[in-house]
Amino acid sequence: METTLRGVGVSHGVAIGEVRHMGTAVLEPPAKQIPAEEAEREQGRARQAVEAVAADLIARGNLAGGEAQHVLEAQAMMAQDPELMADVERRIAVGSTAERGVYDAFASYRALLAGAGEYLAGRVADLDDVRNRIVARLLGVPMPGVPDSDEPYVLIARDLAPADTALLDPALVLGFVTEEGGPTSHSAILARALGVPAVVALPGAGELAEGTLIAVDGSTGEIFVDPSDAKRAELESAAAARKAALSAATGPGATSDGHKVPLLANVGGPADVPAAVEAGAEGVGLFRTEFLFLDDSKQAPSEEKQIAAYRAVLEAFPEGRVVVRVLDAGADKPLDFLTPADEPNPALGVRGLRSLLDHPDVLRTQLTALSKAAEGLPVHLEVMAPMVADRADAKAFADACREAGLNAKFGAMVEIPSAALRARSVLQEVEFLSLGTNDLAQYTFAADRQVGAVSRLQDPWQPALLDLVALSAEAAKTEGKSCGVCGEAASDPLLACVLTGLGVTSLSMGAASIPYVRATLAKYTLAQCERAASAARAADSAEDARRAAQAVLSGE
């Protein structure tokens, strides 16, 4: 009998296939004591396992490339964290085995993060995966991972670590469903990059029996268990129609009546550029430069290294628009040379622009490198600061850009509600706004963007969030300036129409989403988008907002 479940759709497309569950290993080692004379040998085993796991993660990243590579390299750094390793060795010195020392040290770190309200607590899948891989290697048991299968299937897991998601074979893994995670988790972002339909935050997903036939709609978040022939035909027809629309829609982003909405790509570095170009991106709306800095958490990259990385991206979009976000460090991206180590809640502490203003030499070097990278290129360079709270922040950033001799537009990211509420004030100092809807939702609803339990409040369809977008867009229009969206909200085709109706002037997203957004925008007039936006803002919940916008655009 057909039943319907609903999670959070995070990657477009439809997948129909049999359930296969993520493999698990026996990962809690026995708590037995070792003689003191064995401690040194056990410490050596632990170090070897850590280095082997880090090397494996880096190798997987090299195979995956693009954004996945950056994520996996960050995981490798997590495995090699010197404080964690020191804790492991301390535990072994007082009698733990290598595997038990690793297990307990990670458990302690995990508990500390959760107890401190740490923003990193949302990265539990990443942390647990590193622990599991080290312990599995020490125990000599198989790594938890994607099941072996000769036939295509839909993967079910409690959560998917980046190391698993990055190397999924789309020819075998038709789609995936997880119990945990959120729309802005690493796995969700990588799923979109792979083009694999995915649904996260589905309670009870693990209870779906192995071999059960399910249909996954990554756009709506719906899971159809034992779908009828009629439902399968309906979903397949919709998928075919969507594919045909994608092929038919080409060129710059625009509504059906010609209102232009540039469609830009979010990139983490040069490796992400080919996919953006292939998708027809009109430029880059968010160049996340922190991945360059995360290569070495002890010191900032040299000016020469930064110039090379920036120029590789700028050269890919001759006469296009490239919006660079200066280093957004802190919270889930701590850097030893830049961010405090003892903040009780780093998400609300010294992160983003605040860190850079505390370390003006780091900001100055980055701005100088950007200036030199753009020399002689016809690209339209724009540089923006993360975590701008008010006009004083915006002025400090603009002053730093001018002092560095940067020939570019200066902008501010709207990620803190105060910046949206006082957008006209902020725009007295900068030339454009860019809405980071992931963090804006987090700070508006006090809901960690990585925690599945509060994913309802991370839904970008929340009317309160749409109100803040509208405030920012209206302020920019009044000041004769631009206001784009570079958060994951832009990757939702229906929501892209609503954002356009709210007055947003450009949309930036993962490259894989650009064709879907382009095709959907081309179906509606600006007036229809505006009516859909009004209907969404008049709703009282995210679900009602989506339904109201859909009703307007479908002519109901």
Side-chain angles (χ1 to χ4, degrees):
M1 177 179 174
E2 179 182 312
T3 57
T4 304
L5 307 173
R6 182 182 288 276
V8 179
V10 296
S11 185
H12 304 299
V14 171
I16 302 175
E18 292 186 357
V19 164
R20 294 286 183 275
H21 286 269
M22 175 69 76
T24 58
V26 180
L27 294 173
E28 181 169 1
K32 65 179 183 180
Q33 290 290 106
I34 60 168
E37 61 268 21
E38 293 184 16
E40 189 173 342
R41 178 179 65 84
E42 289 294 286
Q43 289 171 339
R45 287 182 63 228
R47 285 192 295 270
Q48 288 175 358
V50 165
E51 291 305 319
V53 166
D56 178 62
L57 289 168
I58 290 171
R60 286 168 175 260
N62 290 336
L63 283 172
E67 184 142 344
Q69 182 172 4
H70 302 303
V71 172
L72 293 176
E73 286 173 352
Q75 263 198 302
M77 289 174 60
M78 185 184 292
Q80 297 170 306
D81 183 278
E83 290 188 17
L84 258 177
M85 196 62 226
D87 190 18
V88 171
E89 294 189 348
R90 281 194 298 271
R91 292 171 186 274
I92 294 173
V94 295
S96 286
T97 60
E99 47 267 35
R100 190 71 206 192
V102 168
Y103 186 88
D104 289 341
F106 270 81
S108 176
Y109 184 47
R110 197 176 193 266
L112 279 173
L113 295 182
E118 166 72 73
Y119 188 75
L120 267 172
R123 302 284 287 279
V124 162
D126 299 35
L127 184 67
D128 287 352
D129 182 59
V130 171
R131 177 203 65 201
N132 290 350
R133 289 175 184 278
I134 297 171
V135 172
R137 182 171 289 275
L138 287 165
L139 289 173
V141 299
M143 295 281 181
V146 178
D148 291 328
S149 176
D150 295 328
E151 298 296 323
Y153 58 90
V154 176
L155 181 63
I156 306 293
R158 184 174 182 82
D159 204 345
L160 279 172
D164 297 313
T165 317
L167 295 182
L168 291 179
D169 182 355
L172 284 176
V173 182
L174 302 173
F176 68 74
V177 180
T178 66
E179 290 192 43
E180 298 183 352
T184 61
S185 65
H186 274 152
S187 290
I189 293 170
L190 294 177
R192 286 189 283 270
L194 286 168
V196 177
V199 171
V200 301
L202 179 70
E207 297 172 14
L208 292 168
E210 189 86 2
T212 302
L213 183 69
I214 65 171
V216 179
D217 190 329
S219 299
T220 66
E222 292 175 304
I223 307 294
F224 302 94
V225 183
D226 293 322
S228 64
D229 290 343
K231 175 56 71 175
R232 292 181 64 177
E234 176 189 331
L235 290 170
E236 288 168 349
S237 175
R242 190 179 297 150
K243 187 174 181 180
L246 293 180
S247 300
T250 58
T255 58
S256 63
D257 56 341
H259 175 72
K260 293 183 178 179
V261 187
L263 303 181
L264 312 171
N266 295 341
V267 304
D272 294 335
V273 167
V277 172
E278 184 179 350
E282 298 168 58
V284 172
L286 173 61
F287 180 2
R288 303 182 183 95
T289 60
E290 58 270 15
F291 289 113
L292 185 63
F293 288 76
L294 290 170
D295 284 346
D296 183 354
S297 68
K298 304 297 183 186
Q299 61 183 1
S302 67
E303 183 179 301
E304 292 71 25
K305 183 176 181 180
Q306 292 189 53
I307 291 171
Y310 303 151
R311 194 169 180 90
V313 174
L314 296 176
E315 287 177 334
F317 296 95
E319 300 187 22
R321 178 186 179 201
V322 176
V323 183
V324 180
R325 180 177 69 192
V326 294
L327 177 61
D328 184 15
D332 65 332
K333 293 164 286 190
L335 294 172
D336 293 347
F337 66 90
L338 196 67
T339 49
D342 56 353
E343 287 187 305
N345 192 342
L348 301 179
V350 182
R351 63 165 295 200
L353 180 61
R354 299 167 186 175
S355 292
L356 293 174
L357 294 179
D358 280 352
H359 297 81
D361 54 323
V362 175
L363 177 58
R364 188 183 309 111
T365 299
Q366 184 170 26
L367 294 174
T368 301
L370 283 165
S371 181
K372 292 180 178 178
E375 285 178 1
L377 297 179
V379 68
H380 299 288
L381 176 63
E382 302 185 13
V383 183
M384 62 185 182
M387 298 296 292
V388 170
D390 56 15
R391 181 173 179 173
D393 278 352
K395 183 179 187 304
F397 178 66
D399 287 346
C401 290
R402 282 188 283 267
E403 288 169 12
L406 189 61
N407 182 24
K409 285 187 175 181
F410 318 142
M413 289 197 70
V414 176
E415 300 166 286
I416 302 173
S418 61
L421 294 168
R422 300 287 294 171
R424 285 194 67 182
S425 174
V426 170
L427 283 165
Q428 303 311 303
E429 304 294 343
V430 294
E431 298 171 83
F432 68 93
L433 300 177
S434 184
L435 289 143
T437 51
N438 304 343
D439 268 326
L440 185 57
Q442 171 174 248
Y443 293 122
T444 298
F445 296 103
D448 192 315
R449 55 186 280 191
Q450 300 289 339
V451 176
V454 293
S455 61
R456 172 182 79 82
L457 298 171
Q458 266 293 325
D459 192 327
W461 281 94
Q462 286 283 358
L465 189 66
L466 299 181
D467 287 344
L468 292 176
V469 173
L471 279 174
S472 303
E474 288 164 8
K477 183 177 181 180
T478 301
E479 295 297 325
K481 297 178 179 179
S482 63
C483 177
V485 167
C486 64
E488 290 299 315
S491 65
D492 179 335
L494 182 62
L495 185 51
C497 294
V498 167
L499 295 173
T500 298
L502 291 174
V504 166
T505 56
S506 66
L507 299 167
S508 190
M509 65 209 77
S513 297
I514 291 175
Y516 291 92
V517 173
R518 180 190 292 120
T520 304
L521 269 178
K523 292 165 57 177
Y524 306 109
T525 65
L526 176 59
Q528 286 177 299
C529 292
E530 289 171 341
R531 287 197 295 273
S534 295
R537 288 184 68 190
D540 291 320
S541 70
E543 187 173 339
D544 287 346
R546 178 188 286 273
R547 188 179 297 114
Q550 181 68 68
V552 169
L553 293 177
S554 61
E556 294 177 9

